[in-house]
Amino acid sequence: MIRIKREICTGCEICISSCPYGAIEMVEDRAFITEMCNLCRACLSACPVGAIIETEESRLPTTDSRLMDFSGVWVFAEQRRGKLHDVSLELLGEGRRLANILSTELSAVLIGSNIEKEAKTLIAYGADKVFVADDPSLSDFHDDSYGHILAGLIEKEKPEIILSGATSIGRSFIPKVAARLRTGLTADCTRLGLDGKILHQIRPAFGGNIMAVVICPNRRPQIATVRPRVFKKPIPEKGRKGKVIKVHVPEDISLRTKTLEFVKDLTSTVNISEADVIIAGGRGLGDAKNFRLLEELAEALGGAIGASRAAVDAGWISYPHQIGQTGMTVSPRLYIACGISGAVQHLVGMQSSDIIVAINKDPDAPIFKVATYSIVGDALEVIPLLVKKIKEVRG
């Protein structure tokens, strides 16, 4: 890491202009390296008195023997306004699977205000331990406070795997935690696996054209954020026993931002991630007007409308309906893909659906490889027949 020897620094400010990331500022007339530092080392030669040095300091060990000190699988249990986010429960199911393979404990970390009651829910969904940081100062999410508490816990308890949802909150502060611990982080994973104690973190790469397996062999913990709806929520076990550990919340956490007011967005929006039935259309529909057929089918089944990126890019339907790597990840009970070829970018967003029905004229379309039921034919001809039959069955 890069640090300033304050006893040598003269406060000349030459180093400030040398940093391409704006990571150096003056504090009490001396240069100070902020967390924006990317270790580019441009400042090392800029200092005329040699006050900027590089050290080998690391918060976590790199030797194999010390890696053995880390054990346990942790899930960051995200909550919003006191309510647990579904992704936290989904990750407990996957965390339980990984913990069982490793013969170790599964723990959840819950941070917020007046949220200790949710610890019982986390235990019911598979957690053996729940670390609870409950304090009025944590009622609103802040990168600084949440990151400080989680990183401090990790340094103390030394878990080997950390899982978090790839939500706006997870994407915001989990990288800060990884940077503080000087360990790796893989974002937006769609699958997880194990090779011994090495976590295989699988995510789309190169625009979704390949599925990359990312590993972190020399640092701990191994940290991954996972998209919501990738994994199924486990069935809760009522009466399951676990341990709740209260975490001390320091009073001197420095916050660079302050929440002035929380305003709930009452705008009507599309939330296909919660739908049990989704009818999705792609380029094969040929025209925006043909989405009316999907609406009729969705109405008959009580479902929502989804779309591939190609349909959204063509302007046939708005972005909130987009499913795939650059859209929503969904896991409905029934997913009907109409005129969607099944590029990997789309598949990563819907392949965990319970039942997948694919309608496509191309018998070799990749969508058929993941489909439960395949219909080779023109979606514009098949959909009206499905609507008619559904109406007949339902009277």
Side-chain angles (χ1 to χ4, degrees):
M1 64 182 298
I2 308 295
R3 73 179 186 89
I4 306 288
K5 298 182 74 172
R6 292 182 63 83
E7 66 275 14
I8 299 178
C9 177
T10 62
C12 68
E13 302 187 12
I14 293 176
C15 57
I16 293 179
S17 60
S18 74
C19 179
Y21 300 101
I24 305 178
E25 59 186 37
M26 299 302 292
V27 177
E28 297 179 353
D29 297 325
R30 295 292 185 271
F32 177 76
I33 306 288
T34 72
E35 60 188 18
M36 298 296 292
C37 177
N38 279 263
L39 298 176
C40 71
R41 300 175 177 82
C43 59
L44 294 177
S45 59
C47 181
V49 295
I52 305 177
I53 62 172
E54 183 177 12
T55 70
E56 295 298 324
E57 180 183 349
S58 174
R59 290 180 179 270
L60 294 179
T62 59
T63 61
D64 290 341
S65 61
R66 291 188 178 180
L67 291 181
M68 299 301 291
D69 295 339
F70 292 76
S71 65
V73 178
W74 280 20
V75 170
F76 169 66
E78 181 178 329
Q79 56 81 26
R80 301 192 183 193
R81 317 309 294 181
K83 182 181 179 182
L84 288 172
H85 195 293
D86 279 350
V87 72
S88 304
L89 307 180
E90 295 161 9
L91 289 178
L92 282 174
E94 179 65 6
R96 182 75 271 164
R97 182 183 74 86
L98 297 175
N100 288 345
I101 294 174
L102 294 170
S103 299
T104 189
E105 288 185 322
L106 172 65
S107 301
V109 180
L110 185 59
I111 303 174
S113 177
N114 194 27
I115 40 80
E116 186 175 347
K117 58 184 183 297
E118 296 296 340
K120 292 182 179 180
T121 301
L122 297 172
I123 291 172
Y125 275 88
D128 300 310
K129 293 180 181 177
V130 180
F131 294 90
V132 180
D134 194 328
D135 191 86
S137 65
L138 302 172
S139 60
D140 295 311
F141 168 74
H142 290 280
D143 287 347
D144 295 324
S145 57
Y146 278 50
H148 182 88
I149 290 171
L150 182 57
L153 268 175
I154 293 170
E155 289 175 324
K156 179 182 178 183
E157 301 292 336
K158 292 184 171 57
E160 58 184 322
I161 293 174
I162 308 286
L163 304 179
S164 171
T167 62
S168 57
I169 287 179
R171 287 169 172 159
S172 177
F173 92 106
I174 294 298
K176 177 189 293 290
V177 172
R180 172 173 168 174
L181 300 173
R182 299 180 68 80
T183 188
L185 163 66
T186 304
D188 273 7
C189 294
T190 56
R191 278 190 293 147
L192 299 171
L194 284 171
D195 180 8
K197 289 202 167 190
I198 300 296
L199 181 67
H200 281 198
Q201 302 156 79
I202 304 166
R203 70 178 309 277
F206 293 102
N209 292 311
I210 66 168
M211 297 300 288
V213 179
V214 184
I215 62 173
C216 182
N218 300 318
R219 298 279 181 167
R220 292 296 181 271
Q222 303 164 91
I223 305 179
T225 62
V226 181
R227 282 190 168 201
R229 296 282 173 166
V230 167
F231 299 117
K232 301 286 187 182
K233 273 197 296 188
I235 298 173
E237 182 183 335
K238 293 183 178 179
R240 190 174 184 275
K241 302 297 182 182
K243 188 175 181 181
V244 178
I245 303 171
K246 294 185 179 181
V247 177
H248 171 67
V249 179
E251 298 180 358
D252 58 348
I253 298 177
S254 176
L255 299 180
R256 292 171 296 172
T257 59
K258 181 180 180 181
T259 302
L260 300 179
E261 183 182 5
F262 177 80
V263 180
K264 187 174 182 179
D265 184 4
L266 298 179
T267 305
S268 177
T269 59
V270 176
N271 189 8
I272 56 176
S273 65
E274 301 296 331
D276 286 332
V277 178
I278 295 176
I279 317 299
R283 194 197 309 271
L285 292 181
D287 195 280
K289 64 182 181 182
N290 293 325
F291 267 80
R292 177 58 191 156
L293 294 175
L294 301 191
E295 293 173 4
E296 293 177 3
L297 182 55
E299 184 178 346
L301 293 173
I305 301 295
S308 68
R309 177 173 178 173
V312 173
D313 287 349
W316 297 348
I317 195 168
S318 60
Y319 174 75
H321 296 270
Q322 185 171 315
I323 295 169
Q325 181 187 356
T326 53
M328 297 291 294
T329 299
V330 298
S331 184
R333 294 171 58 191
L334 173 62
Y335 187 90
I336 302 180
C338 308
I340 296 175
S341 63
V344 65
Q345 294 95 326
H346 185 77
L347 297 184
V348 297
M350 46 67 69
Q351 60 188 358
S352 62
S353 304
D354 291 345
I355 297 175
I356 300 173
V357 178
I359 307 171
N360 201 291
K361 289 190 292 186
D362 181 5
D364 298 320
I367 191 74
F368 290 138
K369 295 180 180 180
V370 300
T372 313
Y373 301 101
S374 303
I375 301 175
V376 179
D378 189 339
L380 303 182
E381 298 176 359
V382 174
I383 294 173
L385 296 175
L386 286 176
V387 172
K388 180 180 178 181
K389 191 65 176 178
I390 291 169
K391 289 182 177 179
E392 288 177 357
V393 171
R394 294 189 171 181

